Amino acid sequence: ATNNAAADAARQRQAALAQMRTTLGEIVYFEYDRSEIRADSRPILDRKARIMRDEPTIRVRIEGHADERGSTEYNLALASRRAESVRGYLAGVGIQAGRIEIISYGEGRPAERGSNESAWSRNRRAEVAVTAGLQADH
């Protein structure tokens, strides 16, 4: 029976890790030419912060993105401000800033190709990539 209990615990941990990855992977979107956290993004960020509080070994990289409008330089700066806003929000709810790195991709990695509001709205975003601390226990 001990093996079954251990196997069940391992399966539960795998399921929990998968759920954490999904939650941490939720995308935060931004308004046109803005880097402020939207009201509808706060619950997403609060869920990420809860996981990071519960799992103190997790480290993340926040990847800022912009749509294609504007110069390359402008979009790199805007996307950097977006990533910084996410880091600032997480730090403001108690996550150590040292656990969070940021990078700006500007308009260089669109989620959706196209020159219309549908594509642009999906490309104005910040994504979180886990860089450490979310492995299964051995």
Side-chain angles (χ1 to χ4, degrees):
T2 309
N3 285 351
N4 284 348
D8 287 347
R11 274 193 297 277
Q12 287 174 345
R13 179 67 179 162
Q14 287 296 336
L17 289 169
Q19 182 58 52
M20 285 182 228
R21 279 190 197 92
T22 298
T23 300
L24 289 169
E26 287 182 273
I27 298 171
V28 173
Y29 293 98
F30 293 86
E31 296 303 320
Y32 172 67
D33 202 28
R34 305 303 293 254
S35 58
E36 298 82 15
I37 301 297
R38 296 183 345 194
D40 64 348
S41 295
R42 289 190 179 99
I44 294 169
L45 292 171
D46 290 340
R47 287 191 294 274
K48 293 178 192 301
R50 198 170 310 118
I51 289 170
M52 291 183 74
R53 270 194 294 275
D54 291 347
E55 301 281 337
T57 60
I58 291 177
R59 299 176 74 84
V60 298
R61 178 180 58 247
I62 300 166
E63 303 170 346
H65 299 271
D67 67 34
E68 66 186 2
R69 298 172 290 179
S71 70
T72 299
E73 296 78 16
Y74 183 84
N75 285 335
L76 281 167
L78 177 60
S80 180
R81 287 193 304 275
R82 288 173 173 162
E84 190 58 62
S85 287
V86 172
R87 177 166 59 185
Y89 185 93
L90 292 172
V93 295
I95 304 303
Q96 290 174 304
R99 295 172 59 195
I100 307 166
E101 61 180 279
I102 63 169
I103 189 167
S104 172
Y105 290 117
E107 65 197 71
R109 294 188 177 188
E112 185 176 313
R113 300 247 177 236
S115 296
N116 56 56
E117 185 52 40
S118 172
W120 293 330
S121 67
R122 293 203 56 234
N123 292 330
R124 297 189 301 260
R125 70 195 193 281
E127 296 186 41
V128 175
V130 177
T131 58
L134 199 55
Q135 299 78 258
D137 296 329
H138 300 294

